[in-house]
Amino acid sequence: MSNSTEGQTSKAPSGGPGDPVETSCRVPVGLMLFCAAAWLVLGSVLALIASIKLHGAGFLADTPWLTYGRVQAASWSLFLYGFAAQAALAVGLWLICVLGRTPLVRPGLTTLGVVVWNAGVKIGLLAVLAGQGTGYEWLEIPRYASVFLFVGFVVVAAFGLITLHYRQEKPLSVSHWYLIAGLLAFPWLHGSAHLVLLDQPVRGVMQAVSHWWYAHAFLTLWLTPMALAVGFHLIPSLTGRPLHSYYLALAGFWMLLVIGGFGGVPADAPVPAWIPALSTVGVVLLSMPVLATLLNWHKTLEGVYEKARENPALRFVVLGGGCYLLLTLLMILSSFRSVNLVLQFTHFTTALAWLGLFGFVGLILFGAIYHALPRILDVEWPSARMTRAHFLGTAAGLGLFVAALSLGGVVQGRGFMDETRDFYSVTRLTFPFVGMSTLGLLLFVAGQVALLVNVVLMLAACCRRCCCPPRWLGGETATTGVAS
Amino acid sequence: MNHGILIFLGALIAVSCSWYGMLFAPQKQIGSAQPEPPSPTDPGAYYPSSPLGEVTLGREVYRAQGCAYCHTRMVRADVDVPRWGARRSVVRDYLFDEPVVLGSQRIGPDLANVGLRRPDAGWHYLHLYNPQLTMPEGQRSQMPPYAYLFETRPIGASPSPEALQLTGEDAPEDGYEVVPTRAAKSLVTFMRSLRADNALFEAPIPETAKAESDETGSDEEAAEAESAPAEDTPNTPEP
């Protein structure tokens, strides 16, 4: 096992258009990416509604289904389970096929898993809006819908791992390690949290501790490995350069897995002091795997950064890497007790969550989507302008949202620290920042609509070519469709 | 590292580390915490005692409306004590809580001691019906109105004692009254039950807080006093 084998694996010659390995996962991955884009649009519209409610408390206030607490919960659930987890799973499935040069095993049954997962998301969404959410921010989807998520995931991930087992290209690349870890971590995390929060709830404040752990590990042990798998594949293959250091990647991988799950407990939480202390230590140590990974990426990209200008996929991945660095710095900074006490219950928390979910994981997944979907469907992206609109909307919207809420959070937190100020006068200070964040969300929604339109047009083009119009309608046959 | 199964097992062990550290070990330490028995200085019930049915129903309403998305329910040592409570929140405050949703945002005030600050049910009803009614002149609340937790109905033989005292444009038509539904009543009962002002071994009442509450004479107004009007004149503009 040497550097060169690893380098070759990530540069393994991808077949041209219509490569059977990549098109083998067309149905499940196409369906998942379409659903992810659709849930993302719905989720960001709900987030926009919630944000507007912070300005006009009476906005849509007469319907219990649309009260702030439920809309906010529904939107975050859609982001987590509808978009991020689903897109990560889809991209992971595609990566397994491409890296191992093996067609997906049993695409039909995998698609069934996808349908079950999305049924879980849909039931969960309705349940949260109907007031049956669990109350735990990252696990709002109630027990009966959460089971669908678990089963759907296990089915899809199982066929992914079976495909991995039958791979043609035997050496495992760095991306493979992260994929294996991620596909293991989700059922492990979700299963544990489901067990100790929904099935056999632990007593008292242990519920909060379990939830904090789950929320933190959901990002660091499940979404992060999937995003890093994408980065470790796309950066070498799009720049045509071998990965800078295999051993640095190896160290980063194991450090992330061991350290990643420690964190999430806020300072001075109502628990014995060693728990938040351990959490702080975990978050600070997390800088090591993050720096190892980012240094590796940077060294691979050094001198060829300008390729990101022409290639939308690389552009998203590079920006996502930048957000990962910013996220880690802010997480470390805000994990120190003195800072945490100021920022913990402010808008800063929201800004950080968005930076992690969309800035880091989301952008890298978008990059993977832009790279993978044309190969999977064997259709070019229909509109370069839409791609550009999506990038600009996402980057500008997210930038504005995160910047406004972080600054607003600092102002709010400092105000709360001053005992002589009354609560509402401090809250009033945040209004301009919340306004800016609503504006950012508006841009963000526009960007995601562009993505959805692009994906739908692309799927339609693929359908026209392969399946429609069906023979019984007297249209062209499938074969002539492809020929034309 | 070319053996998938080894990576799989390694990852399992690595991921289990945090499970052990963040779930198992805390559970071992605090999972079996017990309520504080009555003491000679403080005879009475156990603290906390098992909640009444009405309180658990209200807790469900609190969860279902997503209250925790704007309100926390924890007082942190030192920094939060002057504003939000007599002492810090500790493990034993939540022993019978289910689900324990401590919240992550203070878009609205902390509610760990709301029962102490706002003992009056009438204030809560008015506040839930339309939060702007209980705000001082010139202040605006970001809280949405929960008018759907109330019912407007024709006045029966005699007006309901629970009917909201609404005036001006908020008042219902003549012959009608606005009364809280079962959900609103449970929610208010739950909120009035939220108070943690007894000293515990692990959370004594800080001396400064004690002195202050003695000076003002009552705990009720301690935290929000500056911003909120007196309970009995909720929507009378100040002269």
Side-chain angles (χ1 to χ4, degrees), chain A residues 115-428:
Chain A
V115 172
V116 172
W117 171 278
N118 281 293
V121 176
K122 192 190 261 174
I123 300 171
L125 169 70
L126 293 176
V128 171
L129 289 178
Q132 298 201 6
T134 60
Y136 305 111
E137 269 176 72
W138 289 60
L139 196 69
E140 273 286 359
I141 294 184
R143 194 175 156 202
Y144 50 82
S146 192
V147 170
F148 281 82
L149 295 179
F150 188 84
V151 172
F153 185 94
V154 168
V155 170
V156 177
F159 287 112
L161 291 176
I162 294 171
T163 309
L164 180 77
H165 180 72
Y166 287 119
R167 66 189 182 275
Q168 307 281 317
E169 192 87 18
K170 284 299 171 190
L172 286 177
S173 68
V174 178
S175 296
H176 274 121
W177 313 336
Y178 280 110
L179 286 173
I180 295 172
L183 293 180
L184 166 82
F186 181 80
W188 175 233
L189 296 172
H190 190 259
S192 312
H194 189 101
L195 191 71
V196 299
L197 290 175
L198 309 180
D199 278 336
Q200 300 289 327
V202 282
R203 191 147 161 256
V205 87
M206 265 312 291
Q207 292 171 17
V209 175
S210 318
H211 173 247
W212 285 322
W213 168 74
Y214 176 70
H216 181 78
F218 191 93
L219 191 67
T220 51
L221 289 180
W222 150 236
L223 293 178
T224 299
M226 300 309 274
L228 295 190
V230 171
F232 274 109
H233 172 65
L234 283 192
I235 290 177
S237 72
L238 290 181
T239 55
R241 298 174 73 171
L243 185 64
H244 170 69
S245 164
Y246 170 79
Y247 291 101
L248 197 55
L250 189 69
F253 173 72
W254 287 113
M255 282 194 291
L256 176 72
L257 285 198
V258 174
I259 299 167
F262 291 94
V265 181
D268 277 19
V271 291
W274 67 268
I275 302 174
L278 182 64
S279 163
T280 304
V281 171
V283 171
V284 173
L285 288 182
L286 194 59
S287 57
M288 295 196 306
V290 175
L291 290 180
T293 299
L294 289 175
L295 185 68
N296 221 347
W297 288 7
H298 170 70
K299 286 282 182 190
T300 310
L301 279 163
E302 208 172 16
V304 287
Y305 270 110
E306 67 275 14
K307 286 200 178 183
R309 251 179 231 163
E310 305 122 44
N311 189 320
L314 195 60
R315 195 161 58 211
F316 272 108
V317 172
V318 167
L319 192 62
C323 286
Y324 192 24
L325 184 64
L326 184 63
L327 170 74
T328 310
L329 293 178
L330 289 180
M331 257 170 81
I332 292 174
L333 184 72
S334 65
S335 75
F336 291 113
R337 182 171 176 270
S338 50
V339 185
N340 196 275
L341 288 178
V342 179
L343 296 180
Q344 177 179 126
F345 294 135
T346 67
H347 291 297
F348 184 86
T349 311
T350 314
L352 211 56
W354 275 68
L355 187 63
L357 191 66
F358 290 110
F360 162 46
V361 175
L363 288 181
I364 290 184
L365 289 177
F366 289 143
I369 292 173
Y370 279 106
H371 180 73
L373 210 50
R375 291 152 170 267
I376 295 169
L377 299 180
D378 193 14
V379 178
E380 278 309 306
W381 282 101
S383 160
R385 276 170 69 187
M386 284 288 183
T387 309
R388 212 176 150 66
H390 177 224
F391 180 78
L392 288 178
T394 310
L398 200 61
L400 193 58
F401 183 87
V402 171
L405 286 190
S406 329
L407 291 177
V410 173
V411 170
Q412 192 186 8
R414 290 178 60 94
F416 286 159
M417 283 295 121
D418 181 359
E419 304 161 14
T420 57
R421 301 198 64 145
D422 84 276
F423 182 82
Y424 293 99
S425 78
V426 175
T427 303
R428 202 163 49 212

Side-chain angles (χ1 to χ4, degrees), chain A residues 1 55 133 137 172 188 274, chain B residues 1-2 15 29 63 104 140:
Chain A
M1 189 170 39
H55 307 285
E137 269 176 72
L172 286 177
W188 175 233
W274 67 268
Chain B
M1 297 222 308
N2 272 334
V15 171
Q29 187 186 4
R63 170 192 60 71
S104 60
R140 184 163 73 79

